[in-house]
Amino acid sequence: MSLKIRMSRGGAKKRPFYSIVVADSRSPRDGRFIEKLGTYNPMLDRSHPQRITLKAERVQHWLKVGALPSERVARFLGEAGLAEKPAHHERPKKSAPKTKAQERAKAAQAAAEAAAAPSA
């Protein structure tokens, strides 16, 4: 059985609230889970203490047993010091502007510099 530490969505429409749970990887996102490990409320301010709550000893237990955290939960665990922080992913090259868009951006920047130079 492959275990995952992931988020299960709750809350009302446009008012999300997530539970951080341990679940079988084959079970649905909001379906059956084994244990609730904490909560995540994205509606609260980043500095609010109740934004992310975790049961640290239970998280450590499930990590030792072999549960794998999802990408977002791994970031939460890294910030809480319960696991190592995952590597920061760079922006993919596919999403970079294409050559014509880069040329237009360079031309616009050159025009802005030329317009700013005589007035200075």
Side-chain angles (χ1 to χ4, degrees):
M1 181 162 84
S2 177
L3 297 174
K4 287 278 196 180
I5 301 176
R6 62 183 185 201
M7 294 192 297
S8 175
R9 192 180 193 280
K13 181 178 177 183
K14 300 194 181 204
R15 304 286 298 175
F17 185 84
Y18 296 93
S19 296
I20 300 171
V21 299
V22 176
D24 183 2
S25 63
R26 297 168 291 184
S27 64
R29 179 192 71 176
D30 299 335
R32 187 174 57 180
F33 61 89
I34 299 168
E35 183 179 354
K36 184 176 172 183
L37 301 178
T39 61
Y40 169 58
N41 188 352
M43 302 301 290
L44 296 176
D45 187 41
R46 288 185 186 271
S47 61
H48 197 281
Q50 294 297 315
R51 183 175 167 96
I52 301 171
T53 60
L54 294 167
K55 297 177 186 172
E57 62 280 347
R58 296 306 295 164
V59 170
Q60 291 293 345
H61 165 76
W62 285 108
L63 290 173
K64 287 179 187 173
V65 170
L68 297 174
S70 67
E71 205 170 305
R72 174 63 60 172
V73 172
R75 288 176 68 192
F76 293 157
L77 297 179
E79 290 169 8
L82 299 172
E84 63 180 57
K85 276 192 171 182
H88 177 69
H89 297 292
E90 294 297 322
R91 191 166 87 185
K93 292 181 180 177
K94 279 186 166 181
S95 68
K98 304 299 182 224
T99 55
K100 286 187 177 181
Q102 288 178 355
E103 291 171 4
R104 283 194 300 269
K106 286 180 185 176
Q109 184 180 6
E113 289 174 1
S119 63

